[in-house]
Amino acid sequence: MKDAVVEVRNISKSYTRGRKALDDISLTVGRGEMVALIGASGSGKSTLIRHISGLVCADRDGGDGEVRVLGQTVQSCGCINSGIRPLRARIGVIFQQFNLVSRLSLLTNVVTGVLGRIPVWRGTLGLFTHEEKLLAMEALRRVDMDRYAGQRASTLSGGQQQRAAIARALVQRAEVLLADEPIASLDPESARRVMEVLARINREDNITVVVSLHQVAYARKYCPRTVALRDGRVIFDGPSEALTPDFLLDLYGADSEELVMDDTLEAPARQRNFPVAPTRGEPVRAVAMATG
């Protein structure tokens, strides 16, 4: 793939004997892509994101597994790169639980995005420059949250806090944004606004976005490409428009009911014929073909 910014090669992870959370996964994401990771609970979505960000180390006995981001090694052969700190500053991670400090103002939470670029002592003392605060205000403006800058984070709704977390990643100047179930706990309207913000910064800033989702309709609407996981393996890698209810049933069987298709987001898709995914081996790489 031209200008790949996320490269995962032969990564495996076991938390309990005999069961792999990730099973020899390989994945490549190009610069400026917006890619959805889907799968039922326990499929490996969150584990994969944590490996890409370097928060979790792969199995050491997994051979020559490696994760590279922006051309630099995150981890290799089960060991995190000892010099990863500068690279982490270029990777933004958005979690389901927002990770804001509730007693601090929204502006203070967002300006902490500069911590990877300033001396540790200044960050520890909370000494931020006027220019850094202006940068945070501009990021809040871009996610339509600037009017709440002085409020404590605890006074905001979940959707507002999640948009603030995205603003913090903008202040961080992240070139890759990894979002782990960012809308799982939000109401539909808040979820829509968060996904629109992610899609907009992907489009306007050419930031590579990888977002794990339970709701397939959001993948279809906002992410041109989807990677589907099952039992720690990639079983589909292709256009999101291929993810019709019938195709999901082919991929996941009864577990497809967990991947909610919300018809309020989009009109019903036309019937299409798609290949059925194998249970093991190479993922399906589908190209949608209209039948009528």
Side-chain angles (χ1 to χ4, degrees):
M1 177 180 292
K2 183 179 178 180
D3 202 13
V5 297
V6 176
E7 301 168 90
V8 178
R9 182 169 57 87
N10 304 125
I11 288 294
S12 294
K13 181 65 176 181
S14 301
Y15 289 111
T16 58
R17 185 179 297 275
R19 186 180 184 280
K20 289 188 175 182
L22 297 178
D23 189 0
D24 197 30
I25 276 191
S26 294
L27 175 69
T28 302
V29 179
R31 184 174 299 278
E33 279 199 277
M34 183 158 177
V35 179
L37 297 178
I38 68 165
S41 298
S43 61
K45 304 186 302 297
S46 294
T47 304
L48 178 57
I49 283 179
R50 290 173 180 272
H51 278 73
I52 295 172
S53 61
L55 295 175
V56 174
C57 199
D59 291 345
R60 293 194 176 190
D61 59 358
D64 58 350
E66 184 180 39
V67 176
R68 293 176 61 82
V69 176
L70 297 165
Q72 300 181 43
T73 299
V74 172
Q75 59 177 286
S76 179
C77 300
C79 295
I80 302 292
N81 178 8
S82 60
I84 197 175
R85 187 174 183 269
L87 177 57
R88 279 203 174 117
R90 302 169 69 191
I91 304 172
V93 184
I94 306 295
F95 297 98
Q96 180 179 340
Q97 298 304 322
F98 322 130
N99 283 8
L100 301 183
V101 181
S102 59
R103 60 184 172 81
L104 297 181
S105 71
L106 193 60
L107 178 63
T108 301
N109 271 283
V110 172
V111 78
T112 59
V114 305
L115 290 178
R117 303 195 304 273
I118 66 175
V120 174
W121 67 268
R122 193 152 65 83
T124 301
L125 296 175
L127 300 177
F128 302 106
T129 67
H130 179 66
E131 290 74 18
E132 289 162 353
K133 292 177 181 178
L134 287 178
L135 181 64
M137 283 299 299
E138 172 59 16
L140 283 169
R141 184 196 64 77
R142 292 193 62 191
V143 300
D144 194 26
M145 289 293 296
D146 51 316
R147 62 187 178 277
Y148 303 109
Q151 287 189 212
R152 287 166 58 117
S154 61
T155 66
L156 303 173
S157 70
Q160 290 172 328
Q161 291 189 56
Q162 197 61 286
R163 280 186 281 151
I166 297 171
R168 183 173 55 195
L170 291 175
V171 172
Q172 184 181 332
R173 295 177 181 166
E175 298 171 58
V176 175
L177 188 56
L178 307 174
D180 186 12
E181 298 279 11
I183 62 173
S185 60
L186 304 182
D187 63 85
E189 176 59 20
S190 296
R192 181 188 63 78
R193 295 192 71 177
V194 167
M195 290 302 298
E196 286 182 350
V197 167
L198 288 174
R200 186 168 69 249
I201 65 173
N202 165 257
R203 181 175 63 253
E204 294 177 356
D205 296 25
N206 203 37
I207 293 175
T208 302
V209 177
V210 178
V211 52
S212 67
L213 298 166
H214 257 95
Q215 305 91 328
V216 171
Y218 290 96
R220 284 178 54 90
K221 184 173 178 64
Y222 295 105
C223 304
R225 174 185 169 197
T226 291
V227 175
L229 303 180
R230 183 178 64 205
D231 298 329
R233 281 180 168 260
V234 176
I235 59 169
F236 169 81
D237 184 346
S240 299
E241 65 177 7
L243 300 173
T244 62
D246 286 346
F247 188 47
L248 287 170
L249 185 62
D250 287 334
L251 288 175
Y252 289 104
D255 287 341
S256 65
E257 295 179 4
E258 190 176 329
L259 303 172
V260 180
M261 290 287 287
D262 185 349
D263 59 7
T264 63
L265 278 179
E266 56 185 16
R270 290 182 296 170
Q271 286 294 106
R272 294 176 169 93
N273 291 328
F274 303 106
V276 177
T279 56
R280 306 288 285 180
E282 288 298 312
V284 172
R285 298 183 183 274
V287 177
M289 297 176 290
T291 60

